Amino acid sequence: MAVDYDLVIIGGGSAGLVAASAAAQLKAKVALVERAGSLGGDCLHHGCVPSKSLIHASRVAHEVVRGPEFGVHAQLEKIDFQAALGHVHRVIDTIQVHDSTERFESLGVEVIYGKGEFTDSRTFTVNGRALKARSYIIATGSRPANPNIEGLEEAGYITNLTVFSLKHQPQSLAVIGSGPIGCELGQAFARLSTEVTLIGGQDHILPKEDSEAAAVVQAQMEKDGVRILNGTRAQRVEVIDGKKHVHTTNGTVIVDDILLAAGRAPNVESLNLETAGVAVGKEGITVNSKLQTTNSRIYAAGDVVGGYRFTHVAGYEAAVAMQNALLFPTKTADYRVIPWATFTDPELARVGLTEVEARQRYDDVYILKQDFAGVDRALAEASGQGFAKIITRRNGKILGAHLVGPHAGELIHEVVLAMSNNLKVGALTGMIHIYPTLAEVNSKAALQLTKQKYAENERLQGILSKVFGVLRSWG
């Protein structure tokens, strides 16, 4: 059967754009379908880019407040929330140029805007037009999940889809969900003078992270004025005299608005996937290690498949899916070394196993920990809170790392590089680090393996003591 395209990509977010750009540059004939009016997806318009821009604005405000610690007696006169959002949208507009329709069309991609669906296992129809391709990639992303709290819909709420378009800053805000989105935005709003209550169902914030590292973030958030209710679930919401009353398992929280940040759901409902023979599970579209769906000609990548819902993972998966879809399905996705970061202050970054996970798998686990309080650059910048924790086996194999502290999202890449190339932890001590830099935290942590193993080896200590004694006697 003759087809019109080598590849039709459904979804113009991070995964879709990576696949479209790469495939077009390989001279494949590509169509990119996006239901919204512009490219860029959730990351550009509602996620990574705007949230980090708002976080930056909030950090500027925080530094002004801290000024007297350093002899700088400035005064925070007011917070112009709309001006802060103006910064957010200027950043979006600047980056949008790289994700513009014109740029992708210049690469040879046919960009089609409209809502479409599969009409059979080989055809995707959009705007009444049937698109036929050798292969397809579904990259429709995810959206905020609704936890089905009684009265929430009637009371109204905001999500990451609407928070950056607010016309007025809420004086008080309940954040439902204590994962990365809830913590990042909750802290940002608090630093911009909103009274914030964070409601989380687990025993600590950022429940997927090392609990000790999460505790450092929680301490700073509470110092910033965020009220944190761990082990608490929102049960019912009602509006009384214009205020939203969030009834929880730990009392009632009364606020102006509610930010819902309680997980994500895949965008699959309108695609008619059953007709295409594509199976969908609880987390999203079902794929194999090659990112093929149950229809071998249709691939999926990014948030829509669940798993690691990060922009950088979506881009990686898109590259794997694109290669398999265009040529031969021989490339498999490798999730062995996946880093991520939560951009609170302090930042929290992770790669690999937690301490608990490592001890469940191995009986020779070593925990190498270095506090930022022992790193001179951190002290010079009054950022001594937090630590680097590297988890290894006795032979130096790195199993995971957890950094919480200044610029942790940048610093963890040294460990990521080592793990990706199967280097032992000693590689971090064998290289020379510039002094004074924050990166010394990695080499100082890595050195702990040598120190711990030496402390355990009393025989070696005895031998060395005797050797040095003999050397001293020789003069």
Side-chain angles (χ1 to χ4, degrees):
M1 179 184 75
V3 294
D4 302 313
Y5 302 93
D6 293 296
L7 183 63
V8 168
I9 301 165
I10 305 158
S14 299
L17 296 183
V18 169
S21 174
Q25 291 179 70
L26 291 174
K27 303 306 179 183
K29 188 174 182 182
V30 181
L32 175 63
V33 181
E34 169 55 47
R35 64 183 296 174
S38 60
L39 302 177
D42 204 61
C43 178
L44 175 59
H45 298 286
H46 312 294
C48 311
V49 171
S51 64
K52 278 53 185 178
S53 301
L54 187 66
I55 287 169
H56 178 71
S58 74
R59 284 183 178 174
V60 171
H62 179 65
E63 291 305 312
V64 173
V65 173
R66 289 190 70 191
E69 294 179 36
F70 314 106
V72 181
H73 295 276
Q75 187 172 2
L76 188 64
E77 295 182 359
K78 72 171 185 175
I79 298 293
D80 187 338
F81 187 69
Q82 290 305 312
L85 289 183
H87 164 67
V88 169
H89 291 288
R90 284 192 299 274
V91 174
I92 293 173
D93 291 342
T94 300
I95 297 175
Q96 179 72 68
V97 174
H98 302 291
D99 294 346
S100 67
T101 304
E102 293 76 17
R103 175 175 178 268
F104 279 83
E105 288 179 340
S106 73
L107 294 174
V109 177
E110 181 180 352
V111 180
I112 303 169
Y113 290 104
K115 182 179 177 180
E117 65 176 5
F118 284 98
T119 48
D120 61 45
S121 63
R122 297 288 300 275
T123 308
F124 189 79
T125 300
V126 57
N127 301 333
R129 177 183 168 193
L131 309 179
K132 292 185 178 293
R134 289 195 300 112
S135 298
Y136 299 83
I137 294 177
I138 302 172
T140 48
S142 65
R143 64 183 184 279
N146 190 330
N148 194 29
I149 299 169
E150 180 185 347
L152 180 62
E153 290 291 337
E154 294 78 7
Y157 57 91
I158 55 179
T159 68
N160 71 291
L161 298 178
T162 55
V163 68
F164 304 110
S165 300
L166 287 174
K167 300 303 180 185
H168 302 285
Q169 179 180 3
Q171 291 185 338
S172 55
L173 181 69
V175 180
I176 299 177
S178 61
I181 295 174
C183 288
E184 288 181 359
L185 292 181
Q187 185 181 46
F189 269 90
R191 288 182 166 185
L192 292 171
S193 300
T194 293
E195 183 181 307
V196 176
T197 300
L198 188 73
I199 302 169
Q202 304 300 317
D203 59 358
H204 65 81
I205 65 170
L206 302 170
K208 292 184 178 181
E209 307 298 343
D210 177 274
S211 60
E212 188 180 9
V216 175
V217 177
Q218 176 163 333
Q220 180 59 50
M221 290 179 67
E222 290 176 332
K223 188 176 180 181
D224 291 333
V226 180
R227 179 188 178 202
I228 297 177
L229 302 178
N230 288 320
T232 302
R233 296 193 178 277
Q235 298 175 309
R236 180 170 58 90
V237 179
E238 61 180 338
V239 179
I240 302 175
D241 296 330
K243 290 282 191 177
K244 298 177 183 181
H245 292 235
V246 183
H247 302 289
T248 79
T249 53
N250 194 18
T252 299
V253 178
I254 303 173
V255 291
D256 292 321
D257 219 331
I258 298 168
L259 172 63
L260 188 60
R264 309 286 295 178
N267 292 323
V268 295
E269 290 78 10
S270 64
L271 299 176
N272 198 21
L273 295 179
E274 184 177 358
T275 295
V278 174
V280 179
K282 183 179 179 181
E283 289 294 309
I285 294 176
T286 302
V287 293
N288 61 18
S289 62
K290 296 177 173 57
L291 298 178
Q292 281 177 312
T293 70
T294 46
N295 179 332
S296 62
R297 292 183 179 273
I298 300 176
Y299 295 75
D303 279 15
V304 76
V305 303
Y308 298 97
R309 287 192 167 118
F310 304 109
T311 296
H312 49 285
V313 176
Y316 167 73
E317 290 177 340
V320 172
M322 181 275 300
Q323 291 178 59
N324 288 334
L326 282 185
L327 301 169
F328 302 100
T330 57
K331 189 172 181 61
T332 59
D334 179 6
Y335 299 107
R336 184 178 59 90
V337 184
I338 300 292
W340 66 83
T342 300
F343 295 92
T344 47
D345 182 14
E347 292 181 1
L348 195 163
R350 169 187 174 177
V351 63
L353 303 180
T354 64
E355 180 178 345
V356 172
E357 291 168 340
R359 293 193 186 282
Q360 289 173 342
R361 300 187 190 188
Y362 305 102
D363 58 6
D364 61 341
V365 172
Y366 282 71
I367 305 302
L368 319 180
K369 186 179 176 184
Q370 173 62 49
D371 290 337
F372 274 99
V375 177
D376 293 353
R377 179 62 179 274
L379 295 178
E381 298 183 352
S383 300
Q385 71 208 95
F387 56 82
K389 178 190 288 186
I390 303 176
I391 303 164
T392 75
R393 300 190 69 181
R394 182 176 176 80
N395 64 3
K397 179 181 179 180
I398 304 173
L399 302 176
H402 305 264
L403 276 70
V404 57
H407 301 288
E410 307 291 342
L411 297 175
I412 199 165
H413 287 99
E414 201 168 55
V415 183
V416 173
L417 179 63
M419 291 181 68
S420 297
N421 290 278
N422 295 310
L423 301 178
K424 300 291 179 65
V425 73
L428 300 178
T429 60
M431 60 183 285
I432 299 174
H433 288 74
I434 295 171
Y435 176 87
T437 60
L438 295 171
E440 286 188 292
V441 76
N442 289 327
S443 61
K444 286 175 176 285
L447 188 59
Q448 297 301 318
L449 180 61
T450 299
K451 291 182 175 180
Q452 289 183 32
K453 289 167 68 174
Y454 177 74
E456 294 171 350
N457 195 333
E458 295 181 1
R459 180 170 179 270
L460 176 60
Q461 294 178 45
I463 292 173
L464 289 174
S465 179
K466 291 178 180 179
V467 168
F468 289 127
V470 171
L471 291 174
R472 285 194 302 274
S473 69
W474 290 349

